[in-house]
Amino acid sequence: MEEKITGETSDGVGQQYTVEQPPLVVEGRRKKKLKVMVAVDESDVSLYALKWTLEHLFKNPTGEQVGAVEPDPEQGMVTVVHVMQPFERYTFPAEASMYTSVAVVESVRKAQQQNAEQLLSRAFQLCKETKVKSETLILEGNPKEMLCKAVKEMHFDLLVVGSRGLGTIKRALLGSISDFCAHHSKCPILIVKPPHK
């Protein structure tokens, strides 16, 4: 395919060039299977980040959602991860009356596990609807550290997290998971901001 391009040189004289353009899509070339980890929590922002990932990173070359009956293994895979924070048995300053019983701790852990399973079930259903191969994973610990550790150990190509939009002061006091991961993750990170209302 030939295309004519008119340009100017530094002396101001217009010249015509004939440039041969390669095709935009190279047929027969195989893309690398993308291994993506998406971190989700109870917030709508994290589920929006998962939807955004499925819509924008897992489309076929024509730009349409994959319409196959079964997930296409050549397309890559999404691992949806939820990190449960451990329940502390005591608070500071610790008095004998402030310790929680083993039964209470077990009850809280069971509730956390059920909530995590429900959340990942919703996320898995989103992946299933878009025909993207996916798996779910529940981790326990500090979300910031566990996400970075999982990325390193499982060799992901991309980490996707949602941005809660914390202000400067809240981010400094509470810490931002996305900010921590951006500085400590061993793979590229995509921070998805919620849509403007």
Side-chain angles (χ1 to χ4, degrees):
M1 161 197 240
E2 286 190 359
E3 184 178 328
K4 287 193 175 191
I5 299 175
T6 304
E8 288 190 33
T9 59
S10 59
D11 62 2
V13 179
Q15 297 183 2
Q16 287 198 347
Y17 305 97
T18 302
V19 178
E20 212 166 297
Q21 296 255 340
L24 294 176
V25 179
V26 180
E27 293 182 29
R29 191 176 198 180
R30 252 185 130 128
K31 291 190 332 188
K32 179 183 175 195
K33 295 177 194 174
L34 194 59
K35 217 176 143 183
V36 179
M37 175 194 279
V38 181
V40 295
D41 59 14
E42 294 81 12
S43 71
D44 291 336
V45 175
S46 69
L47 288 176
Y48 175 77
L50 175 60
K51 289 177 189 174
W52 191 97
T53 301
L54 295 171
E55 290 172 6
H56 292 87
L57 298 181
F58 291 92
K59 289 183 178 182
N60 64 23
T62 63
E64 308 240 343
Q65 281 290 358
V66 177
V69 177
E70 292 295 318
D72 180 9
E74 297 299 315
Q75 187 177 345
M77 187 170 81
V78 172
T79 301
V80 183
V81 178
H82 176 70
V83 182
M84 296 188 318
Q85 292 193 18
F87 179 70
E88 300 295 333
R89 292 190 62 180
Y90 50 80
T91 57
F92 289 101
E95 292 181 19
S97 64
M98 298 183 105
Y99 286 96
T100 54
S101 68
V102 174
V104 171
V105 171
E106 288 305 313
S107 175
V108 169
R109 284 194 178 142
K110 186 176 179 182
Q112 283 181 322
Q113 185 71 26
Q114 288 174 342
N115 288 339
E117 288 171 2
Q118 288 175 349
L119 175 67
L120 290 178
S121 175
R122 282 178 53 201
F124 186 75
Q125 189 61 36
L126 284 172
C127 296
K128 192 175 176 182
E129 288 170 4
T130 56
K131 312 294 188 251
V132 174
K133 184 178 176 186
S134 59
E135 65 182 1
T136 59
L137 182 62
I138 298 175
L139 303 173
E140 188 172 335
N142 181 327
K144 300 172 188 180
E145 295 167 1
M146 293 306 295
L147 289 174
C148 291
K149 182 179 178 183
V151 162
K152 182 179 179 182
E153 290 176 359
M154 299 174 74
H155 308 287
F156 284 97
D157 299 315
L158 180 67
L159 170 61
V160 179
V161 294
S163 172
R164 292 183 294 168
L166 294 177
T168 308
I169 294 173
K170 282 187 181 178
R171 188 170 51 241
L173 293 174
L174 300 175
S176 165
I177 293 172
S178 58
D179 187 52
F180 183 89
C181 291
H183 288 91
H184 296 91
S185 177
K186 298 295 181 194
C187 75
I189 178 170
L190 175 66
I191 301 171
V192 179
K193 292 189 173 204
H196 296 288
K197 293 183 179 182

